Amino acid sequence: MLHRVTTQPDPYEPFLLSQGIRFGELLFISGQAGAGDDGRIVPGGFLAQGRQAFANLRRALEAGGSSLKGVIKVTIFVTDMGHFDEVVALRREFFGAPYPADTIAQIQALYDPAAMIEIEAIAAVRDGQAR
């Protein structure tokens, strides 16, 4: 059975998207960008956006009954692969061993021209613990 994950505020609602979907003991989280509660991309460059994107990911995971520790697979989209070392630093900051499987891909653009990073994840629900 599918269960919709929501957060407050829910910036996805107007676009007919779910923050995430829980299916059994798996949680599928939609892409989380570096936007604050007001929906605007945070200032401060790539690392600031990355930290906000991870904070948004954490919030969605927790709303679905998991945590960053429960992440099995993460996909990180960046608009410039020149930020690869910063992505690794963010992974080190927010994930611990065993590190999740990962794909990092450069794409031409995200939903907002100011957005530089977006993160989606698949996580386990049962064994996820707040980190």
Side-chain angles (χ1 to χ4, degrees):
M1 184 159 206
L2 301 178
H3 298 279
R4 183 171 180 236
V5 174
T6 60
T7 62
Q8 292 303 321
D10 185 352
Y12 293 75
E13 183 67 31
F15 304 103
L16 307 178
L17 302 172
S18 294
Q19 283 271 2
I21 295 290
R22 181 175 172 173
F23 181 74
E25 299 301 319
L26 290 177
L27 185 58
F28 299 83
I29 300 296
S30 292
Q32 303 292 315
D37 286 348
D38 63 0
R40 294 184 178 163
I41 298 298
V42 298
F46 186 84
L47 281 175
Q49 284 191 33
R51 286 186 179 104
Q52 183 65 52
F54 269 99
N56 294 342
L57 177 63
R58 176 186 287 133
R59 180 172 63 181
L61 287 163
E62 290 174 355
S66 190
S67 68
L68 289 171
K69 188 172 183 175
V71 173
I72 298 165
K73 169 72 168 83
V74 64
T75 304
I76 302 173
F77 301 101
V78 296
T79 57
D80 181 351
M81 197 58 84
H83 293 293
F84 182 81
D85 290 341
E86 292 164 291
V87 170
V88 173
L90 288 165
R91 285 178 44 80
R92 187 175 292 114
E93 184 176 335
F94 289 94
F95 291 128
Y99 294 98
D102 191 332
T103 299
I104 301 171
Q106 179 176 317
I107 60 173
Q108 184 174 344
L110 291 164
Y111 74 98
D112 182 314
M116 296 185 272
I117 184 170
E118 186 170 318
I119 307 166
E120 65 179 29
I122 301 169
V125 174
R126 182 180 12 217
D127 296 323
Q129 298 173 11
R131 180 170 174 187

